[in-house]
Amino acid sequence: MNWKVTQVNPFIDERELDLIKTCVTNKWLTEGNHTDNLIAKFSKLSDAKYVLPVPNGTLGLYLALLSLDLPKGSEVLVPSFTFFGSVSSVHFAGLTPRLVDVIEDDYMATVKNYENAITKNTSAIMPIHIYGASADMDPIMKLAQERNLKVLEDAAQAVGVRYKGRHCGTIGDVGVFSFFADKTVTMGEGGLIATNNEELFEKIKLIRNQGRPNSGTFIHPAFGMNFRVTDMQSAVGCSQLEKLEHVIEYKKYLHGMYFERLKNNTNLRFMQPNKNSTYIPFRFAFTSCFKNVIEKALNEAKIQTRGFFYPMHLQPSVLESYPSVKNTKLKVSERLNKEGLCLPMHLDITEADIDLICSTINASTN
């Protein structure tokens, strides 16, 4: 369909092209100066002591899990309301995803959700920061410390987001960010791992670089794989981080316009971020029992929408690999999938676009 308003439109321009050209001109395509600059920029943004790029967020989660040295087959607590990469990374790391429900306010799991799911085989918790807001991390960290559990933050959608002043992804043992094309910061494909633990950082360095601490040597003190990125990707990431403040402000501006036009529609329930979290709207998210009607009306108006995640405990591959999941009932995650809808939040959205989107929604629910 020829959309009037698309769901995703990366904010890229001549600055990205200029930096990519330097890679070609200098004939240095693998990790180099732009990658060093990317690490420095993100370290400054996040206050993380140690940062390393990865090819994408899913591989970043996989690498982080390997570095934690969790007992083979042990359980990692994962919210069912998430993207599939959160669970597939656990699976391929030789671990077992134990799925938990979330709450309706911010679509994230609380400490109670995790606490009720802990068994003698649980080794880690994977809090997932959803749609540009933070999970309530302090109670989760307290629980993890009491139960001797590792914490891996899936901060794929949380670049720039802070919880009580601390950047998401730097609160647990390790955090992973995604720079996919639809994220606030993009490298096309790509991501970052962050940690404040030097020992963990050294393990990650070895695993991501063929089991050696630095490239250019043929001595491999450990087994590892190649999780590096190209300097061209890093060049794009550097340019994107330079624009981050502008992107954040415009997304907040768009969110305000959406909310002002939809706030009196009693058939909609909006995401309510935790009060301890800053909020950088990933998309404009809401739920409604009229979801299908709204989605149809928007599609007919050539407005591209996106539904909420299909719950992990209902995924065919998860059910096949982990039969114990078969009778799991996680009602909130299921309801969010049935009733949730995301509206576009990219920088090509105009006030006229939002007028059209919101008038279509309001008319369809009257």
Side-chain angles (χ1 to χ4, degrees), residues 14-316:
E14 292 297 322
R15 176 60 175 163
E16 281 81 3
L17 287 175
D18 289 342
L19 290 182
I20 291 172
K21 286 177 184 176
T22 65
C23 300
V24 178
T25 302
N26 296 333
K27 296 186 178 180
W28 192 274
L29 305 182
T30 189
E31 292 184 346
N33 290 336
H34 289 305
T35 302
D36 291 341
N37 194 22
L38 176 70
I39 290 170
K41 285 179 180 293
F42 195 80
S43 295
K44 183 177 180 180
L45 170 70
S46 65
D47 301 319
K49 290 182 180 179
Y50 308 107
V51 173
L52 285 169
V54 287
N56 56 65
T58 302
L59 286 178
L61 292 171
Y62 174 63
L63 173 53
L65 287 164
L66 293 180
S67 72
L68 290 172
D69 289 329
L70 302 173
K72 186 176 180 180
S74 63
E75 296 173 346
V76 180
L77 305 185
V78 184
S80 188
F81 186 78
T82 185
F83 179 65
F84 189 68
S86 304
V87 167
S88 64
S89 60
V90 174
H91 174 79
F92 282 108
L95 302 164
T96 302
R98 183 165 174 82
L99 301 167
V100 304
D101 211 354
V102 297
I103 63 171
E104 294 197 45
D105 288 349
D106 63 7
Y107 318 150
M108 289 180 251
T110 68
V111 67
K112 290 183 178 179
N113 295 120
Y114 293 120
E115 187 171 21
N116 292 338
I118 292 175
T119 73
K120 64 180 181 180
N121 296 320
T122 304
S123 62
I125 300 174
M126 186 189 289
I128 299 175
H129 306 293
I130 292 291
Y131 294 162
S134 172
D136 193 8
M137 288 301 297
D138 278 355
I140 295 170
M141 291 303 300
K142 184 174 183 292
L143 174 67
Q145 290 161 7
E146 290 173 349
R147 302 296 184 92
N148 194 30
L149 304 175
K150 298 294 186 181
V151 177
L152 163 56
E153 295 176 72
D154 183 338
Q157 300 174 352
V159 172
V161 180
R162 290 182 176 268
Y163 173 84
K164 295 185 177 181
R166 294 168 291 172
H167 197 289
C168 291
T170 69
I171 301 168
D173 295 282
V174 60
V176 178
F177 303 85
S178 171
F179 284 1
F180 183 62
D182 67 345
K183 300 300 190 291
T184 302
V185 169
T186 182
M187 290 165 52
E189 290 279 4
L192 292 168
I193 292 182
T195 183
N196 290 315
N197 184 313
E198 184 176 6
E199 181 180 354
L200 202 57
F201 170 67
E202 294 299 332
K203 289 181 182 178
I204 293 168
K205 277 177 60 178
L206 290 173
I207 299 171
R208 78 179 286 275
N209 191 30
Q210 305 282 17
R212 55 190 176 174
N214 299 295
S215 298
T217 177
F218 295 112
I219 305 298
H220 301 255
F223 280 101
M225 298 177 70
N226 183 353
F227 291 91
R228 300 188 303 270
V229 298
T230 69
D231 225 35
M232 295 176 287
Q233 288 173 282
S234 295
V236 174
C238 287
S239 177
Q240 289 281 295
L241 285 173
E242 291 169 3
K243 301 173 182 178
L244 180 58
E245 186 174 342
H246 171 64
V247 172
I248 291 171
E249 289 306 311
Y250 198 77
K251 284 197 166 194
K252 289 181 177 178
Y253 168 68
L254 293 176
H255 186 276
M257 285 197 291
Y258 272 128
F259 186 75
E260 188 62 30
R261 289 157 177 75
L262 295 173
K263 66 181 181 181
N264 294 323
N265 190 326
T266 58
N267 292 307
L268 310 181
R269 176 178 166 82
F270 307 108
M271 180 182 179
Q272 301 173 52
N274 184 281
K275 64 181 180 180
N276 293 312
S277 170
T278 60
Y279 184 38
I280 303 174
F282 179 60
R283 291 184 172 87
F284 190 88
F286 66 90
T287 58
S288 174
C289 59
F290 291 96
K291 171 195 170 178
N292 293 338
V293 174
I294 295 170
E295 190 171 28
K296 182 174 183 293
L298 289 172
N299 287 341
E300 288 175 351
K302 297 186 177 181
I303 309 297
Q304 190 177 26
T305 61
R306 179 162 294 178
F308 281 13
F309 299 120
Y310 189 71
M312 294 302 103
H313 69 283
L314 301 180
Q315 295 286 350

Side-chain angles (χ1 to χ4, degrees), residues 318-337:
V318 174
L319 291 168
E320 181 179 351
S321 298
Y322 306 98
S324 62
V325 175
K326 185 174 182 180
N327 296 318
T328 301
K329 301 294 182 183
L330 303 177
K331 294 181 180 180
V332 177
S333 296
E334 293 172 23
R335 185 158 56 249
L336 289 175
N337 169 253

